[in-house]
Amino acid sequence: MVLFVIFCPIVAAVLILVGAPARKTALAASVLTFAAALFLFVSLDHAGGDFQHVRSFSISPEWRLNFATGVDSLSAIMVLLASIVTLAAVWFAGTIEKFENAFYACLLLISGGAIGAFASIDLFFFYAFHELALIPTFLLIGIWGSENRVAAAWKITIYLAIGSFILLIGLILLYQSFPLPSRSFDIRVLRTAAAMGQIAPDAQRHVYLLLLIGFGILISLFPFHTWAPEAYAAAPAPAAMLHAGVLKKFGLYGLLRLAIPMLPEGARHWATLLVVLLLGNIIYVGLVTIAQKRLDWMLGYSSVMHMGYVFLGIASFGVLGVTGAVVLMFAHGLSIALLFGIAGELRRRTGTLAFDELGGLARVMPFAGLAFGIGAFAAIGLPGFANFAGEIMIFFGAFRNGWEIGQFHIFQIATVLALWGVVLSTVYMLRAYRITFMGSIREQWQKLPDLNPVLRVPVTLLVAALLCCGFCPQFFVRSVAPTFGTFLSANSDTQTSSQVAMRRVQTAKPGREHAPQKRGYSMR
């Protein structure tokens, strides 16, 4: 089943390139991939944290290189996200004026590359599948993009190529940091060896920094973020949906899969640096987002800003915060795909996304206005949507990390500042919604058609997924938490709780040293 989910879009892309009907083949492959990914996620045993449905094929015995695939709860959620967004992106694509077959093939290659990266348990193919997905991204922007597409394509190519090169160096050093008996490309072997302490703390610090920078550029971590808004504004809507909703999550997934479990000392050493940078994503980029005068640029900057929340959950290094980061990754992928899809339809109908040229579109496009409002409310973090569940877990998880009696720690300060990011996102999202869909309508937009019944299907799919995860987040939480509980509970929560308890005993009044202590809140 895992191999089918990976290669179904890739095989369909090859068939399209050799002459198969582009849209019908892409839709059929997307539906099959979504059905298989949903079945895979539902049928998975989420109680344990081990990989399941593992398949391995030897490629080079002397290098111990195998094509190995498998999923656990974390990768199954990311595969499910990729399949949902792929189906919505292909559905939104519609009729392409030039090189239609190549356009749909590129979309499916991005999907197959992302799913392959999420489902690979071999370090080499984990990297190789992501590189496979980057190439069609550059082509989609450079060939089918809007104005300024050439400059945007070159910019994203340069930035992501540099990030991939730094990431490759980090992965090579990670491989070489293990002693020879444990040196392998298999992520399971590396994780077991790392749990036994076979990587020296100094080596962890150097490797983690390289991985953080490499993954950070791919994620658009501040200050390496400037490629993302320009690329998303110039990209066709389906490409922006896939990259912002799915492919950008590869870097976050890499940190959760490799850096955090294998390099815990490096993660603790560079935690302060990461907190400072993520605040740049939340506060600085949030203020820049408010200043935007175009809907596509505003959505691009908002996508960059919300990555700061996920980084905060990862930096908290606790089960609660990291689990919230995974939930928010899933939620953000759905909400930003919904918003980019509707924005693309607005550009197709009006020819512009400038705020000063829009207004009152909800009068003639009520369904589009409702769907965009739902996406905006989800991005803000309104209760009832999946984004709220992820953000509230991140805030609580980050605030309790490193708590010291009588003073604020950097994580408490960062959490307080990050909460202001919710205010900033509320301002720019509601402002964009009001300017675009409310107020008086221009004469030239009086006869704009609303989204037809065909396009309402992907919108309904994305909204339903947001609401299901928002109203029943405990299903996702119980699925993901065991994946991180094996190393985060032992390394972070238990240590922190014991330190806090010891400080309380030491600072207690005489005669009360043996008073029972209240047990702190824990995901365990």
Side-chain angles (χ1 to χ4, degrees):
M1 186 64 70
V2 176
L3 293 175
F4 177 82
V5 173
I6 295 174
F7 287 103
C8 182
I10 296 177
V11 172
V14 174
L15 293 176
I16 291 174
L17 289 176
V18 299
R23 181 166 176 79
K24 291 182 179 179
T25 305
L27 278 175
S30 301
V31 171
L32 290 175
T33 303
F34 167 65
L38 181 61
F39 175 79
L40 193 66
F41 178 77
V42 173
S43 62
L44 202 68
D45 180 14
H46 298 283
D50 295 331
F51 287 97
Q52 303 170 41
H53 303 285
V54 176
R55 294 292 182 272
S56 181
F57 306 93
S58 179
I59 302 296
S60 177
E62 61 272 15
W63 285 90
R64 301 181 182 178
L65 179 61
N66 299 317
F67 177 68
T69 60
V71 293
D72 59 359
S73 296
L74 172 60
S75 52
I77 286 179
M78 301 312 299
V79 169
L80 179 62
L81 170 65
S83 66
I84 295 174
V85 177
T86 299
L87 178 57
V90 170
W91 215 304
F92 265 109
T95 302
I96 307 302
E97 296 180 357
K98 60 179 181 179
F99 311 124
E100 183 180 34
N101 285 47
F103 182 90
Y104 279 99
C106 287
L107 290 181
L108 292 177
L109 287 175
I110 294 176
S111 174
I115 294 174
F118 294 142
S120 291
I121 55 179
D122 184 273
L123 208 58
F124 175 81
F125 289 99
F126 168 80
Y127 180 83
F129 270 113
H130 175 258
E131 298 307 300
L132 171 65
L134 285 184
I135 298 174
T137 303
F138 307 146
L139 296 177
L140 284 169
I141 297 175
I143 299 175
W144 293 276
S146 58
E147 65 275 2
N148 201 33
R149 63 180 181 272
V150 176
W154 275 110
K155 188 171 185 177
I156 188 177
T157 301
I158 294 172
Y159 265 87
L160 298 190
I162 294 174
S164 297
F165 181 71
I166 297 174
L167 174 60
L168 179 61
I169 297 176
L171 293 177
I172 293 174
L173 291 181
L174 175 64
Y175 171 80
Q176 293 181 341
S177 298
F178 290 91
L180 281 177
S182 302
R183 190 173 295 175
S184 171
F185 286 103
D186 194 317
I187 294 177
R188 297 168 298 176
V189 175
L190 298 180
R191 187 173 62 182
T192 302
M196 298 171 62
Q198 296 189 12
I199 306 181
D202 288 339
Q204 290 191 34
R205 294 165 189 167
H206 295 117
V207 175
Y208 181 85
L209 181 61
L210 285 173
L211 294 183
L212 178 61
I213 296 175
F215 283 129
I217 294 176
L218 301 179
I219 304 167
S220 64
L221 175 66
F222 178 86
F224 314 110
H225 67 282
T226 55
W227 62 267
E230 186 174 354
Y232 296 153
M241 294 169 66
L242 275 172
H243 195 281
V246 179
L247 196 55
K248 189 191 287 189
K249 308 301 183 295
F250 166 80
L252 299 168
Y253 175 82
L255 290 174
L256 293 172
R257 176 64 71 202
L258 303 177
I260 298 300
M262 298 184 189
L263 309 167
E265 292 300 324
R268 292 191 183 95
H269 181 77
W270 297 107
T272 302
L273 173 64
L274 180 56
V275 167
V276 173
L277 295 181
L278 68 88
L279 287 177
N281 277 76
I282 297 175
I283 303 301
Y284 173 76
V285 177
L287 293 173
V288 174
T289 309
I290 293 178
Q292 298 308 305
K293 299 181 180 180
R294 291 180 56 89
L295 182 60
D296 48 359
W297 281 82
M298 188 277 294
L299 293 177
Y301 273 107
S302 72
S303 176
V304 175
M305 177 200 175
H306 281 88
M307 292 301 98
Y309 294 122
V310 184
F311 275 117
L312 181 60
I314 294 175
S316 68
F317 209 74
V319 176
L320 182 61
V322 173
T323 304
V326 176
V327 175
L328 185 57
M329 287 164 59
F330 181 80
H332 176 265
L334 298 174
S335 60
I336 199 64
L338 175 62
L339 293 172
F340 270 124
I342 297 175
E345 288 302 312
L346 294 181
R347 175 157 44 191
R348 180 179 297 181
R349 286 163 167 77
T350 64
T352 181
L353 288 177
F355 286 142
D356 57 2
E357 298 179 16
L358 300 175
L361 297 184
R363 297 175 181 271
V364 293
M365 303 178 67
F367 186 85
L370 173 64
F372 191 91
I374 291 175
F377 293 150
I380 291 171
L382 194 71
F385 293 100
N387 307 63
F388 171 79
E391 289 179 7
I392 200 69
M393 293 170 66
I394 289 172
F395 290 145
F396 276 103
F399 194 85
R400 72 184 292 265
N401 183 47
W403 176 257
E404 296 183 9
I405 301 298
Q407 63 180 0
F408 260 21
H409 191 269
I410 186 173
F411 278 94
Q412 283 78 53
I413 299 173
T415 305
V416 172
L417 293 176
L419 284 169
W420 283 99
V422 178
V423 179
L424 296 178
S425 61
T426 303
V427 170
Y428 63 67
M429 276 295 177
L430 294 183
R431 170 177 169 266
Y433 183 59
R434 176 182 61 82
I435 293 176
T436 305
F437 289 97
M438 300 299 154
S440 58
I441 186 172
R442 292 175 177 264
E443 184 177 353
Q444 64 265 36
W445 313 137
Q446 293 285 350
K447 297 182 179 180
L448 283 180
D450 199 0
L451 299 183
N452 57 49
V454 175
L455 288 178
R456 298 185 184 190
V457 174
V459 171
T460 304
L461 175 64
L462 294 172
V463 172
L466 281 170
L467 291 175
C468 287
C469 184
F471 278 94
C472 303
Q474 66 272 18
F475 179 73
F476 289 84
V477 171
R478 292 169 183 169
S479 301
V480 177
T483 305
F484 306 110
T486 54
F487 56 91
L488 286 182
S489 294
N491 293 336
S492 179
D493 290 343
T494 303
Q495 181 180 5
T496 302
S497 300
S498 62
Q499 291 174 351
V500 173
M502 183 62 67
R503 293 193 194 98
R504 288 175 176 172
V505 171
Q506 292 174 351
T507 56
K509 294 181 179 180
R512 298 180 58 114
E513 290 86 350
H514 301 287
Q517 301 293 327
K518 293 183 178 180
R519 186 176 182 180
Y521 178 79
S522 172
M523 281 293 295
R524 300 188 303 279

